[in-house]
């Protein structure tokens, strides 16, 4: 089961929580300077360390469309998709953890969970980290902590992030000041697909920026407390939604478009998604769950849409039709 | 039962047919120059002529909103609504004919029927004309025919018109040339609410312009033949609608808005009405009848909306809400 198909805490405001750890094996250069042979060695060691519980996917053997599908599902980063040398992905449905191999670091262990579940995600990823640690010689320095390719990851090597749905803050234009405040607290706010992406669908990724001189627990504590506050503020702002006739009309129409349109572009989808998600969270929209709606976030993105419907050469217009069909079939 | 609630011939292209006869009583000036006393005399004579089968409504006793309701339902003309002196309306559900009393002429006998039914409407109105003729001294000249206030009505005093729904001709921009052609044939093309009104909802009124030197039968024959041709052309143009993805999407979305929106303005209503009516006539839209849709043409207009919902002081925004509710309740 995918994270977006699961129920989760504070789902009205927090779509998902993610924790990832950057780890490298001692004695090997970072992937950017690994030759082919050494890269294969690193991959073999990582695969061996995680054992049979994990399945390895050699990403270099996949089509660009399949790779794009992984990125859309947020199973791999754009950096891993772009990687030149040998690289792949270890996955384990049972552990809930996946490992990007030879991205910027030798290993990027990650876990995504539905709703607000930073500590739960960390526990799972820490367990997997123990597995790696017991089998591999992990690059670690007493002063600098875990050694990583990018100095911004030195220390814990941990990036914890939550994907938040903040329509009321967006409409009331409080996002800019929130973003500035969070920066002062050592946090980063970005759009759904990471750095530089815009906040389509009122979706924001909030993550820790600091990894050095702070423990994992402190980072998660601090982030969780701030997220809790944002959840409260967003909910307060949403209390007036039902009294706003124009907004109620927009929300109601969004459902009409989802249920009736024959073609929906991705950018229109994101707007309608945001309207409907706000509708569900304010009880204006009935009969559509967060889980169904959030699964669309992945399933109507171009590559996943083409892969799921086996129309691998669909052009934009054909995708707009497939998207409308898919939406109808999922929201039922 | 109102015309718009009935089935009719060629309903996909012809919304309704109307025939009206202008008649005056000999020995009285036209209404514009009638004094109060003489006007009351004229009204009494007309009422007496039509007898108990007809109900008289003294329009001067109604509120402006109620008057507006009559105009929206096309039961009276804007001219009658604006009349300064005594004036009223005789109606008879049984005969299907109504008589505007002291509009521009002493009597305007009219009959509206669903779909293409010019001859049927004429027969009914001619029967009522016989009733008037046998009881009153109708102003008639051997050379000029029926004498009327406006010289453009001299002769038969008959205006026959059809309200046509021409979305395909509108979209393919053939309306302008059609309009020019029809003018050469002695016909007039106007918007839904008569002279000067725009063709909102792709609705056009086509009527005879000539009343002198031609019989009623010739006029109706000529008009019917031309309407038949327009019906054929419009239907041909509609054959490609189903292959136009953008148009199919627009039609499907129109139903979504009708079923989900919380506020709909009159001008948006007219656009959606046209999209849906085209959808019904091309089998793209299922489960909504022409009768239900056409009844909206009257029932969601401002005055009728306020009167039906007994919200006599509703402002524009409140009407937009009432309109959305009414549409949902009627299309079911």
């Amino acid at each position: 089961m995918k994270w977006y198909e699961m129920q989760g805490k504070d789902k009205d405001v927090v779509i998902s929580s993610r924790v990832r750890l950057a780890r490298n094996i001692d004695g090997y250069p970072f992937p950017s300077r690994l030759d082919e042979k050494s890269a294969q060695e690193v991959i073999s060691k990582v695969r061996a360390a995680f054992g049979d519980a994990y399945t390895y996917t050699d990403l270099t053997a996949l089509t660009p469309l399949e790779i794009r599908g992984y990125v859309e599902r947020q199973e791999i980063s754009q950096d891993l998709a772009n990687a030149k040398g040998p690289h792949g992905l270890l996955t384990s449905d049972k552990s809930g953890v996946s490992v990007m191999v030879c991205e910027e670091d030798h290993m990027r262990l990650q876990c995504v969970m539905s709703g607000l579940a930073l500590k739960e995600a960390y526990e799972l990823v820490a367990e997997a980290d123990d597995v790696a640690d017991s089998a591999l010689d992990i690059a670690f320095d007493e002063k600098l902590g875990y050694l990583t390719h990018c100095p911004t990851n030195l220390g814990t090597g941990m990036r914890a992030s939550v994907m938040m749905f903040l329509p009321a803050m967006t409409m009331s234009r409080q996002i800019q000041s929130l973003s500035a405040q969070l920066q002062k607290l050592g946090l980063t706010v970005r759009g759904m697909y990471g750095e530089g992406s815009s906040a389509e669908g009122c979706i924001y990724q909030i993550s820790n920026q600091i990894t050095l001189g702070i423990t994992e627990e402190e980072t998660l504590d601090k982030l969780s407390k701030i997220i809790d506050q944002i959840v409260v503020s967003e909910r307060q702002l949403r209390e007036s939604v039902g009294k706003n006739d124009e907004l109620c009309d927009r929300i109601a129409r969004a459902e009409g478009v989802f249920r009736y349109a024959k073609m929906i572009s991705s950018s229109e989808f994101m707007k309608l998604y945001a309207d409907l998600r706000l509708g569900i969270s304010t009880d204006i929209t009935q009969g559509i769950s967060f889980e169904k709606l959030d699964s669309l976030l992945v399933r109507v993105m171009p590559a996943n849409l083409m892969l799921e419907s086996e129309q691998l050469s669909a052009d934009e217009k054909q995708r707009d039709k497939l998207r409308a069909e898919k939406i109808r079939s999922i929201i039922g």
Side-chain angles (χ1 to χ4, degrees), chain A residues 98-144:
Chain A
S98 65
V99 185
M100 294 194 282
V101 188
C102 289
E103 198 234 33
E104 194 181 281
D105 296 294
H106 296 152
M107 291 180 279
R108 288 276 177 104
L109 292 74
Q110 61 178 12
C111 177
V112 186
M113 294 186 82
S114 180
L116 185 54
L118 281 171
K119 281 163 196 175
E120 294 83 345
Y122 175 69
E123 274 166 32
L124 292 178
V125 94
E127 261 178 54
D129 189 33
D130 288 344
V131 170
D133 205 37
S134 65
L136 298 165
D137 190 8
I138 301 294
F140 184 84
D141 177 274
E142 280 304 322
K143 268 200 156 165
L144 294 174

Side-chain angles (χ1 to χ4, degrees), chain A residues 151-175:
Chain A
T152 58
N153 290 320
L154 284 172
T156 60
M158 182 181 79
R159 191 75 61 204
S161 68
V162 285
M163 196 152 82
M164 301 196 80
F165 174 63
L166 304 175
M169 284 198 159
T170 304
M171 282 185 277
S172 62
R173 297 172 196 282
Q174 297 189 27
I175 283 291

Side-chain angles (χ1 to χ4, degrees), chain A residues 55-251:
Chain A
T55 308
Y56 184 71
T57 305
D58 178 0
L59 294 172
T60 63
L62 301 185
T63 66
L65 188 66
E66 287 168 329
I67 295 288
R68 182 77 211 142
Y70 277 85
V71 175
E72 286 176 356
R73 293 191 298 273
Q74 304 200 33
E75 292 173 351
I76 67 171
S77 64
Q78 189 58 53
D79 279 351
L80 191 63
N82 297 342
K84 295 277 178 275
H87 61 280
L89 180 71
L90 280 171
T91 49
S92 150
D93 277 350
K94 203 176 158 212
S95 75
V97 172
S98 65
V99 185
M100 294 194 282
V101 188
C102 289
E103 198 234 33
E104 194 181 281
D105 296 294
H106 296 152
M107 291 180 279
R108 288 276 177 104
L109 292 74
Q110 61 178 12
C111 177
V112 186
M113 294 186 82
S114 180
L116 185 54
L118 281 171
K119 281 163 196 175
E120 294 83 345
Y122 175 69
E123 274 166 32
L124 292 178
V125 94
E127 261 178 54
D129 189 33
D130 288 344
V131 170
D133 205 37
S134 65
L136 298 165
D137 190 8
I138 301 294
F140 184 84
D141 177 274
E142 280 304 322
K143 268 200 156 165
L144 294 174
Y146 289 103
L147 299 177
T148 55
H149 177 252
C150 181
T152 58
N153 290 320
L154 284 172
T156 60
M158 182 181 79
R159 191 75 61 204
S161 68
V162 285
M163 196 152 82
M164 301 196 80
F165 174 63
L166 304 175
M169 284 198 159
T170 304
M171 282 185 277
S172 62
R173 297 172 196 282
Q174 297 189 27
I175 283 291
Q176 287 75 7
S177 63
L178 174 73
S179 181
Q181 262 181 296
L182 292 180
Q183 234 159 8
K184 282 181 203 157
L185 295 167
L187 301 180
T188 311
V189 182
R190 298 184 296 190
M192 180 175 166
Y193 286 105
E195 231 158 330
S197 71
S198 67
E200 269 195 317
C202 302
I203 297 174
Y204 302 85
Q205 265 193 61
I206 297 174
S207 60
N208 67 309
Q209 201 158 17
I210 296 159
T211 51
L212 199 58
I214 186 168
T215 67
E216 287 82 351
E217 287 72 17
E218 286 166 345
T219 303
L220 294 171
D221 260 357
K222 191 175 147 185
L223 185 57
S224 295
K225 275 181 192 148
I226 293 170
I227 299 303
D228 283 340
Q229 283 176 27
I230 301 176
V231 168
V232 170
S233 306
E234 171 68 23
R235 281 183 184 150
Q236 272 171 352
L237 287 170
R238 288 186 195 173
E239 278 168 19
S240 61
V241 167
K243 294 165 209 142
N244 183 331
D245 290 326
E246 283 74 16
L247 190 51
C248 289
D249 180 50
R250 203 174 83 193
I251 288 169

Side-chain angles (χ1 to χ4, degrees), chain A residues 25-47 56 85-87 101-102 105-106 136:
Chain A
I25 304 173
D26 207 19
Y28 287 93
F30 292 124
S32 63
R33 288 191 294 163
L34 265 184
D35 59 33
E36 169 93 20
K37 188 172 153 285
S38 313
Q40 295 295 5
E41 267 180 47
V42 166
I43 291 172
S44 296
K45 287 190 178 224
V46 173
R47 288 181 64 172
Y56 184 71
H87 61 280
V101 188
C102 289
D105 296 294
H106 296 152
L136 298 165

Side-chain angles (χ1 to χ4, degrees), chain A residues 65 301-323:
Chain A
L65 188 66
M301 291 297 110
N304 278 282
L305 195 58
M306 290 159 82
L307 290 164
E308 266 197 46
S309 54
E310 297 179 349
Q311 302 231 10
L312 305 187
S313 56
D315 62 16
E316 196 176 332
K317 187 172 164 179
Q318 288 165 326
R319 283 199 302 269
D320 289 354
K321 286 191 199 180
L322 291 172
R323 183 173 295 112

